[in-house]
Amino acid sequence: MQNVMERYQTFRQVVDDITLMNNRFMNKVFDGNIPATQRMLRVILKNDKIKVHKVSVQQWLQNLYGHSAQLDILAEDEHGTQFNVEIQRSDEGASVQRARFYCGALDMHFLDRGKKYETLPDAYVIFITETDVLKNGRPLYHIQRSVDETGAAFGDGSHIVYVNAACQDDTPFGRLMQDFNCNDPAKMHYKELADRVNYFKTSKEGEIDMTDIIEAYANNKAEQAAKEAVAKAAHQRNVEVAKKMLAEGMSIEVTARISELSEEEVRALAAKQSA
């Protein structure tokens, strides 16, 4: 009975903590959810005329001769414009080369055999990242091709957008990023997002639908905790090594190199020993 209670408490803790910055959870919330997807795109692209009519998640774009792509969210508006939205927690997952590849994958997928190149729909690849991947302190980065010699837009219909989810100010965009980082639907700003998040977090049906995410999330948390424990133990061993070296009269520089601690840490240890 205790194990059952412990598992349920763990389940509830994960449900309570999870946010839209978890791509599995985001997929659940946005799957087929036209109002939420439309609101998100309108805010990010600052275009209230976007009318989404189709949304799917985890869409595979197969490439028989090379790398395939699995898209977090793929949406289409009334004009056929394609929107691919990706959640990326790490900088490595949002490289500029990946953005380039996803643009190409969309083009290959949506140009049917025999169709003219001019019929290609406009396409947006949008990365929502936990931190400022492009490192210029901006909430949004819009990337489009241009002609070097004139500065004029190339106008090929391809767009890449990087979204810095760390920017959470009191603007429509900042409030959207607050919602993406918020674990309590009652505190979210946009009803289209809050309603679906609330369904998964508070209803029995939502809980059942969340089981696969919870298991993956909990396993990841456990793995992360184990790695942190190993790193902490290794660091403590290095501290003990440094203490012994300092006691033997070794220099700060040599102690830092052998113990793999920073010179600042070693100096702090030396100061404590001499106090």
Side-chain angles (χ1 to χ4, degrees), residues 57-94:
V57 301
Q58 295 295 291
Q59 177 77 41
W60 272 102
L61 303 186
Q62 296 285 357
N63 180 357
L64 297 178
Y65 304 103
H67 196 82
S68 297
Q70 186 177 32
L71 311 183
D72 280 345
I73 297 175
L74 182 62
E76 182 178 311
D77 74 1
E78 61 181 351
H79 304 296
T81 301
Q82 302 296 321
F83 304 91
N84 166 218
V85 183
E86 299 287 319
I87 284 286
Q88 295 296 332
R89 305 295 293 268
S90 66
D91 291 4
E92 292 81 5

mmCIF file of all heavy atoms in Angstrom, residues 57-94:
data_model
loop_
_atom_site.group_PDB
_atom_site.id
_atom_site.type_symbol
_atom_site.label_atom_id
_atom_site.label_comp_id
_atom_site.label_asym_id
_atom_site.label_seq_id
_atom_site.Cartn_x
_atom_site.Cartn_y
_atom_site.Cartn_z
ATOM 1 N N VAL A 57 0.902 16.879 -34.208
ATOM 2 C CA VAL A 57 2.143 16.825 -33.435
ATOM 3 C C VAL A 57 2.918 15.558 -33.781
ATOM 4 O O VAL A 57 2.355 14.586 -34.290
ATOM 5 C CB VAL A 57 1.875 16.877 -31.913
ATOM 6 C CG1 VAL A 57 1.137 18.149 -31.538
ATOM 7 C CG2 VAL A 57 1.115 15.648 -31.445
ATOM 8 N N GLN A 58 4.221 15.605 -33.479
ATOM 9 C CA GLN A 58 5.098 14.463 -33.747
ATOM 10 C C GLN A 58 4.948 13.961 -35.188
ATOM 11 O O GLN A 58 4.879 12.768 -35.456
ATOM 12 C CB GLN A 58 4.813 13.332 -32.756
ATOM 13 C CG GLN A 58 5.156 13.681 -31.318
ATOM 14 C CD GLN A 58 6.657 13.913 -31.125
ATOM 15 O OE1 GLN A 58 7.462 13.003 -31.199
ATOM 16 N NE2 GLN A 58 7.043 15.165 -30.880
ATOM 17 N N GLN A 59 4.934 14.902 -36.117
ATOM 18 C CA GLN A 59 4.781 14.590 -37.536
ATOM 19 C C GLN A 59 6.128 14.171 -38.123
ATOM 20 O O GLN A 59 7.112 14.904 -38.049
ATOM 21 C CB GLN A 59 4.250 15.817 -38.284
ATOM 22 C CG GLN A 59 4.116 15.653 -39.775
ATOM 23 C CD GLN A 59 2.888 14.848 -40.140
ATOM 24 O OE1 GLN A 59 1.837 15.020 -39.556
ATOM 25 N NE2 GLN A 59 3.026 13.976 -41.120
ATOM 26 N N TRP A 60 6.166 12.972 -38.703
ATOM 27 C CA TRP A 60 7.398 12.497 -39.340
ATOM 28 C C TRP A 60 7.457 12.981 -40.779
ATOM 29 O O TRP A 60 6.511 12.795 -41.540
ATOM 30 C CB TRP A 60 7.459 10.974 -39.322
ATOM 31 C CG TRP A 60 8.084 10.404 -38.094
ATOM 32 C CD1 TRP A 60 7.452 9.852 -37.019
ATOM 33 C CD2 TRP A 60 9.483 10.355 -37.800
ATOM 34 N NE1 TRP A 60 8.357 9.460 -36.081
ATOM 35 C CE2 TRP A 60 9.625 9.749 -36.528
ATOM 36 C CE3 TRP A 60 10.625 10.760 -38.480
ATOM 37 C CZ2 TRP A 60 10.858 9.538 -35.920
ATOM 38 C CZ3 TRP A 60 11.863 10.560 -37.891
ATOM 39 C CH2 TRP A 60 11.980 9.946 -36.630
ATOM 40 N N LEU A 61 8.583 13.603 -41.148
ATOM 41 C CA LEU A 61 8.853 13.939 -42.540
ATOM 42 C C LEU A 61 9.925 12.970 -43.011
ATOM 43 O O LEU A 61 11.118 13.136 -42.713
ATOM 44 C CB LEU A 61 9.318 15.391 -42.679
ATOM 45 C CG LEU A 61 8.375 16.477 -42.126
ATOM 46 C CD1 LEU A 61 8.904 17.857 -42.469
ATOM 47 C CD2 LEU A 61 6.961 16.295 -42.662
ATOM 48 N N GLN A 62 9.522 11.930 -43.724
ATOM 49 C CA GLN A 62 10.430 10.858 -44.103
ATOM 50 C C GLN A 62 11.317 11.266 -45.275
ATOM 51 O O GLN A 62 10.864 11.899 -46.227
ATOM 52 C CB GLN A 62 9.630 9.606 -44.485
ATOM 53 C CG GLN A 62 8.822 9.015 -43.343
ATOM 54 C CD GLN A 62 9.693 8.265 -42.337
ATOM 55 O OE1 GLN A 62 10.901 8.137 -42.525
ATOM 56 N NE2 GLN A 62 9.081 7.761 -41.285
ATOM 57 N N ASN A 63 12.589 10.903 -45.157
ATOM 58 C CA ASN A 63 13.551 11.102 -46.237
ATOM 59 C C ASN A 63 14.188 9.747 -46.530
ATOM 60 O O ASN A 63 14.949 9.221 -45.720
ATOM 61 C CB ASN A 63 14.619 12.118 -45.828
ATOM 62 C CG ASN A 63 15.643 12.369 -46.919
ATOM 63 O OD1 ASN A 63 15.601 11.750 -47.981
ATOM 64 N ND2 ASN A 63 16.563 13.281 -46.661
ATOM 65 N N LEU A 64 13.855 9.155 -47.665
ATOM 66 C CA LEU A 64 14.335 7.812 -47.980
ATOM 67 C C LEU A 64 15.831 7.761 -48.221
ATOM 68 O O LEU A 64 16.445 6.692 -48.143
ATOM 69 C CB LEU A 64 13.601 7.274 -49.219
ATOM 70 C CG LEU A 64 12.083 7.090 -49.080
ATOM 71 C CD1 LEU A 64 11.489 6.591 -50.389
ATOM 72 C CD2 LEU A 64 11.752 6.128 -47.945
ATOM 73 N N TYR A 65 16.442 8.897 -48.522
ATOM 74 C CA TYR A 65 17.855 8.912 -48.891
ATOM 75 C C TYR A 65 18.737 9.646 -47.891
ATOM 76 O O TYR A 65 19.916 9.882 -48.147
ATOM 77 C CB TYR A 65 18.023 9.544 -50.280
ATOM 78 C CG TYR A 65 17.187 8.851 -51.328
ATOM 79 C CD1 TYR A 65 16.006 9.434 -51.781
ATOM 80 C CD2 TYR A 65 17.553 7.614 -51.839
ATOM 81 C CE1 TYR A 65 15.227 8.795 -52.733
ATOM 82 C CE2 TYR A 65 16.785 6.968 -52.788
ATOM 83 C CZ TYR A 65 15.617 7.565 -53.233
ATOM 84 O OH TYR A 65 14.846 6.923 -54.168
ATOM 85 N N GLY A 66 18.174 10.013 -46.757
ATOM 86 C CA GLY A 66 18.977 10.747 -45.782
ATOM 87 C C GLY A 66 18.243 10.882 -44.465
ATOM 88 O O GLY A 66 17.363 10.092 -44.128
ATOM 89 N N HIS A 67 18.579 11.921 -43.720
ATOM 90 C CA HIS A 67 18.046 12.147 -42.381
ATOM 91 C C HIS A 67 16.580 12.553 -42.452
ATOM 92 O O HIS A 67 16.197 13.423 -43.231
ATOM 93 C CB HIS A 67 18.870 13.256 -41.712
ATOM 94 C CG HIS A 67 18.683 13.324 -40.227
ATOM 95 N ND1 HIS A 67 19.353 12.509 -39.358
ATOM 96 C CD2 HIS A 67 17.889 14.117 -39.473
ATOM 97 C CE1 HIS A 67 18.999 12.800 -38.113
ATOM 98 N NE2 HIS A 67 18.112 13.775 -38.155
ATOM 99 N N SER A 68 15.741 11.911 -41.631
ATOM 100 C CA SER A 68 14.335 12.297 -41.529
ATOM 101 C C SER A 68 14.169 13.287 -40.376
ATOM 102 O O SER A 68 15.082 13.492 -39.581
ATOM 103 C CB SER A 68 13.454 11.067 -41.303
ATOM 104 O OG SER A 68 13.534 10.181 -42.401
ATOM 105 N N ALA A 69 12.988 13.884 -40.288
ATOM 106 C CA ALA A 69 12.726 14.866 -39.234
ATOM 107 C C ALA A 69 11.404 14.550 -38.554
ATOM 108 O O ALA A 69 10.414 14.226 -39.223
ATOM 109 C CB ALA A 69 12.691 16.279 -39.806
ATOM 110 N N GLN A 70 11.393 14.641 -37.222
ATOM 111 C CA GLN A 70 10.153 14.507 -36.468
ATOM 112 C C GLN A 70 9.829 15.855 -35.842
ATOM 113 O O GLN A 70 10.587 16.355 -35.013
ATOM 114 C CB GLN A 70 10.261 13.430 -35.390
ATOM 115 C CG GLN A 70 8.932 13.158 -34.679
ATOM 116 C CD GLN A 70 9.045 12.040 -33.670
ATOM 117 O OE1 GLN A 70 10.092 11.851 -33.063
ATOM 118 N NE2 GLN A 70 7.969 11.295 -33.476
ATOM 119 N N LEU A 71 8.710 16.435 -36.251
ATOM 120 C CA LEU A 71 8.363 17.787 -35.844
ATOM 121 C C LEU A 71 7.497 17.770 -34.590
ATOM 122 O O LEU A 71 6.564 16.974 -34.480
ATOM 123 C CB LEU A 71 7.608 18.500 -36.969
ATOM 124 C CG LEU A 71 8.234 18.420 -38.368
ATOM 125 C CD1 LEU A 71 7.399 19.245 -39.344
ATOM 126 C CD2 LEU A 71 9.680 18.899 -38.356
ATOM 127 N N ASP A 72 7.788 18.665 -33.646
ATOM 128 C CA ASP A 72 6.964 18.761 -32.437
ATOM 129 C C ASP A 72 5.542 19.170 -32.791
ATOM 130 O O ASP A 72 4.574 18.491 -32.446
ATOM 131 C CB ASP A 72 7.568 19.778 -31.457
ATOM 132 C CG ASP A 72 8.719 19.193 -30.655
ATOM 133 O OD1 ASP A 72 8.870 17.960 -30.646
ATOM 134 O OD2 ASP A 72 9.465 19.965 -30.038
ATOM 135 N N ILE A 73 5.407 20.326 -33.452
ATOM 136 C CA ILE A 73 4.089 20.817 -33.866
ATOM 137 C C ILE A 73 4.166 21.228 -35.327
ATOM 138 O O ILE A 73 5.097 21.920 -35.742
ATOM 139 C CB ILE A 73 3.645 22.031 -33.030
ATOM 140 C CG1 ILE A 73 3.488 21.651 -31.557
ATOM 141 C CG2 ILE A 73 2.323 22.593 -33.557
ATOM 142 C CD1 ILE A 73 3.162 22.845 -30.666
ATOM 143 N N LEU A 74 3.176 20.810 -36.101
ATOM 144 C CA LEU A 74 3.059 21.251 -37.486
ATOM 145 C C LEU A 74 1.652 21.790 -37.688
ATOM 146 O O LEU A 74 0.669 21.074 -37.502
ATOM 147 C CB LEU A 74 3.328 20.107 -38.461
ATOM 148 C CG LEU A 74 3.266 20.478 -39.952
ATOM 149 C CD1 LEU A 74 4.330 21.517 -40.295
ATOM 150 C CD2 LEU A 74 3.433 19.235 -40.823
ATOM 151 N N ALA A 75 1.579 23.066 -38.046
ATOM 152 C CA ALA A 75 0.280 23.712 -38.236
ATOM 153 C C ALA A 75 0.204 24.309 -39.633
ATOM 154 O O ALA A 75 1.227 24.604 -40.265
ATOM 155 C CB ALA A 75 0.069 24.799 -37.181
ATOM 156 N N GLU A 76 -1.020 24.490 -40.087
ATOM 157 C CA GLU A 76 -1.247 25.073 -41.409
ATOM 158 C C GLU A 76 -2.359 26.103 -41.305
ATOM 159 O O GLU A 76 -3.357 25.877 -40.607
ATOM 160 C CB GLU A 76 -1.639 23.971 -42.401
ATOM 161 C CG GLU A 76 -1.840 24.468 -43.826
ATOM 162 C CD GLU A 76 -2.188 23.324 -44.772
ATOM 163 O OE1 GLU A 76 -1.478 22.292 -44.743
ATOM 164 O OE2 GLU A 76 -3.181 23.456 -45.525
ATOM 165 N N ASP A 77 -2.171 27.242 -41.975
ATOM 166 C CA ASP A 77 -3.228 28.252 -41.938
ATOM 167 C C ASP A 77 -4.088 28.176 -43.192
ATOM 168 O O ASP A 77 -3.893 27.306 -44.050
ATOM 169 C CB ASP A 77 -2.650 29.654 -41.704
ATOM 170 C CG ASP A 77 -1.951 30.235 -42.932
ATOM 171 O OD1 ASP A 77 -1.921 29.573 -43.999
ATOM 172 O OD2 ASP A 77 -1.415 31.354 -42.826
ATOM 173 N N GLU A 78 -5.024 29.090 -43.300
ATOM 174 C CA GLU A 78 -6.002 29.040 -44.391
ATOM 175 C C GLU A 78 -5.378 29.276 -45.761
ATOM 176 O O GLU A 78 -5.972 28.937 -46.795
ATOM 177 C CB GLU A 78 -7.088 30.090 -44.136
ATOM 178 C CG GLU A 78 -6.577 31.510 -44.075
ATOM 179 C CD GLU A 78 -7.683 32.523 -43.804
ATOM 180 O OE1 GLU A 78 -8.863 32.111 -43.839
ATOM 181 O OE2 GLU A 78 -7.370 33.701 -43.574
ATOM 182 N N HIS A 79 -4.159 29.841 -45.784
ATOM 183 C CA HIS A 79 -3.474 30.095 -47.061
ATOM 184 C C HIS A 79 -2.482 28.986 -47.407
ATOM 185 O O HIS A 79 -1.785 29.091 -48.420
ATOM 186 C CB HIS A 79 -2.740 31.433 -47.003
ATOM 187 C CG HIS A 79 -3.630 32.598 -46.662
ATOM 188 N ND1 HIS A 79 -4.657 33.010 -47.481
ATOM 189 C CD2 HIS A 79 -3.650 33.426 -45.581
ATOM 190 C CE1 HIS A 79 -5.278 34.040 -46.930
ATOM 191 N NE2 HIS A 79 -4.690 34.314 -45.782
ATOM 192 N N GLY A 80 -2.401 27.969 -46.574
ATOM 193 C CA GLY A 80 -1.463 26.882 -46.823
ATOM 194 C C GLY A 80 -0.096 27.096 -46.217
ATOM 195 O O GLY A 80 0.788 26.241 -46.368
ATOM 196 N N THR A 81 0.120 28.224 -45.534
ATOM 197 C CA THR A 81 1.399 28.474 -44.869
ATOM 198 C C THR A 81 1.641 27.410 -43.801
ATOM 199 O O THR A 81 0.745 27.076 -43.031
ATOM 200 C CB THR A 81 1.419 29.870 -44.222
ATOM 201 O OG1 THR A 81 1.195 30.856 -45.238
ATOM 202 C CG2 THR A 81 2.755 30.145 -43.549
ATOM 203 N N GLN A 82 2.873 26.891 -43.762
ATOM 204 C CA GLN A 82 3.224 25.837 -42.825
ATOM 205 C C GLN A 82 4.016 26.431 -41.652
ATOM 206 O O GLN A 82 4.920 27.248 -41.852
ATOM 207 C CB GLN A 82 4.069 24.770 -43.519
ATOM 208 C CG GLN A 82 3.392 24.124 -44.722
ATOM 209 C CD GLN A 82 2.143 23.355 -44.345
ATOM 210 O OE1 GLN A 82 2.100 22.686 -43.308
ATOM 211 N NE2 GLN A 82 1.112 23.428 -45.190
ATOM 212 N N PHE A 83 3.677 25.990 -40.447
ATOM 213 C CA PHE A 83 4.352 26.455 -39.234
ATOM 214 C C PHE A 83 4.853 25.241 -38.456
ATOM 215 O O PHE A 83 4.056 24.408 -38.015
ATOM 216 C CB PHE A 83 3.399 27.252 -38.341
ATOM 217 C CG PHE A 83 2.754 28.433 -39.013
ATOM 218 C CD1 PHE A 83 1.528 28.290 -39.665
ATOM 219 C CD2 PHE A 83 3.354 29.682 -38.982
ATOM 220 C CE1 PHE A 83 0.916 29.377 -40.275
ATOM 221 C CE2 PHE A 83 2.743 30.779 -39.602
ATOM 222 C CZ PHE A 83 1.530 30.625 -40.249
ATOM 223 N N ASN A 84 6.146 25.147 -38.311
ATOM 224 C CA ASN A 84 6.742 24.092 -37.493
ATOM 225 C C ASN A 84 7.270 24.737 -36.209
ATOM 226 O O ASN A 84 8.095 25.646 -36.254
ATOM 227 C CB ASN A 84 7.890 23.414 -38.255
ATOM 228 C CG ASN A 84 8.763 22.547 -37.377
ATOM 229 O OD1 ASN A 84 9.974 22.514 -37.559
ATOM 230 N ND2 ASN A 84 8.189 21.851 -36.417
ATOM 231 N N VAL A 85 6.773 24.281 -35.055
ATOM 232 C CA VAL A 85 7.190 24.832 -33.760
ATOM 233 C C VAL A 85 7.903 23.742 -32.973
ATOM 234 O O VAL A 85 7.370 22.639 -32.801
ATOM 235 C CB VAL A 85 5.988 25.365 -32.955
ATOM 236 C CG1 VAL A 85 6.468 25.991 -31.643
ATOM 237 C CG2 VAL A 85 5.200 26.377 -33.775
ATOM 238 N N GLU A 86 9.109 24.058 -32.499
ATOM 239 C CA GLU A 86 9.925 23.104 -31.752
ATOM 240 C C GLU A 86 10.264 23.675 -30.376
ATOM 241 O O GLU A 86 10.641 24.852 -30.265
ATOM 242 C CB GLU A 86 11.238 22.814 -32.491
ATOM 243 C CG GLU A 86 11.060 22.200 -33.870
ATOM 244 C CD GLU A 86 10.615 20.752 -33.788
ATOM 245 O OE1 GLU A 86 11.122 20.014 -32.937
ATOM 246 O OE2 GLU A 86 9.744 20.365 -34.603
ATOM 247 N N ILE A 87 10.134 22.857 -29.340
ATOM 248 C CA ILE A 87 10.615 23.219 -28.011
ATOM 249 C C ILE A 87 12.003 22.634 -27.842
ATOM 250 O O ILE A 87 12.215 21.443 -28.078
ATOM 251 C CB ILE A 87 9.696 22.658 -26.901
ATOM 252 C CG1 ILE A 87 8.422 23.481 -26.797
ATOM 253 C CG2 ILE A 87 10.402 22.648 -25.545
ATOM 254 C CD1 ILE A 87 8.604 24.843 -26.138
ATOM 255 N N GLN A 88 12.971 23.459 -27.449
ATOM 256 C CA GLN A 88 14.337 22.989 -27.242
ATOM 257 C C GLN A 88 14.852 23.518 -25.912
ATOM 258 O O GLN A 88 14.950 24.725 -25.710
ATOM 259 C CB GLN A 88 15.257 23.440 -28.386
ATOM 260 C CG GLN A 88 14.918 22.832 -29.733
ATOM 261 C CD GLN A 88 15.100 21.333 -29.762
ATOM 262 O OE1 GLN A 88 15.917 20.785 -29.029
ATOM 263 N NE2 GLN A 88 14.341 20.656 -30.610
ATOM 264 N N ARG A 89 15.183 22.594 -25.009
ATOM 265 C CA ARG A 89 15.707 22.988 -23.701
ATOM 266 C C ARG A 89 17.204 23.272 -23.757
ATOM 267 O O ARG A 89 17.726 24.065 -22.973
ATOM 268 C CB ARG A 89 15.450 21.876 -22.661
ATOM 269 C CG ARG A 89 14.003 21.440 -22.526
ATOM 270 C CD ARG A 89 13.100 22.525 -21.996
ATOM 271 N NE ARG A 89 13.376 22.891 -20.630
ATOM 272 C CZ ARG A 89 12.783 22.351 -19.564
ATOM 273 N NH1 ARG A 89 11.888 21.392 -19.733
ATOM 274 N NH2 ARG A 89 13.050 22.769 -18.351
ATOM 275 N N SER A 90 17.928 22.617 -24.664
ATOM 276 C CA SER A 90 19.384 22.795 -24.740
ATOM 277 C C SER A 90 19.754 23.558 -25.998
ATOM 278 O O SER A 90 19.067 23.479 -27.029
ATOM 279 C CB SER A 90 20.093 21.435 -24.744
ATOM 280 O OG SER A 90 19.790 20.724 -25.926
ATOM 281 N N ASP A 91 20.869 24.290 -25.923
ATOM 282 C CA ASP A 91 21.333 25.056 -27.079
ATOM 283 C C ASP A 91 21.655 24.150 -28.260
ATOM 284 O O ASP A 91 21.438 24.507 -29.418
ATOM 285 C CB ASP A 91 22.582 25.869 -26.707
ATOM 286 C CG ASP A 91 22.264 27.003 -25.746
ATOM 287 O OD1 ASP A 91 21.100 27.104 -25.318
ATOM 288 O OD2 ASP A 91 23.180 27.780 -25.417
ATOM 289 N N GLU A 92 22.187 22.946 -27.958
ATOM 290 C CA GLU A 92 22.592 22.041 -29.027
ATOM 291 C C GLU A 92 21.403 21.627 -29.897
ATOM 292 O O GLU A 92 21.554 21.378 -31.089
ATOM 293 C CB GLU A 92 23.250 20.792 -28.446
ATOM 294 C CG GLU A 92 24.591 21.023 -27.776
ATOM 295 C CD GLU A 92 24.455 21.553 -26.357
ATOM 296 O OE1 GLU A 92 23.308 21.652 -25.853
ATOM 297 O OE2 GLU A 92 25.493 21.877 -25.747
ATOM 298 N N GLY A 93 20.223 21.557 -29.293
ATOM 299 C CA GLY A 93 19.047 21.130 -30.045
ATOM 300 C C GLY A 93 18.463 22.200 -30.936
ATOM 301 O O GLY A 93 17.535 21.930 -31.701
ATOM 302 N N ALA A 94 18.989 23.416 -30.851
ATOM 303 C CA ALA A 94 18.446 24.524 -31.646
ATOM 304 C C ALA A 94 19.538 25.178 -32.485
ATOM 305 O O ALA A 94 19.549 26.386 -32.666
ATOM 306 C CB ALA A 94 17.799 25.560 -30.726
#
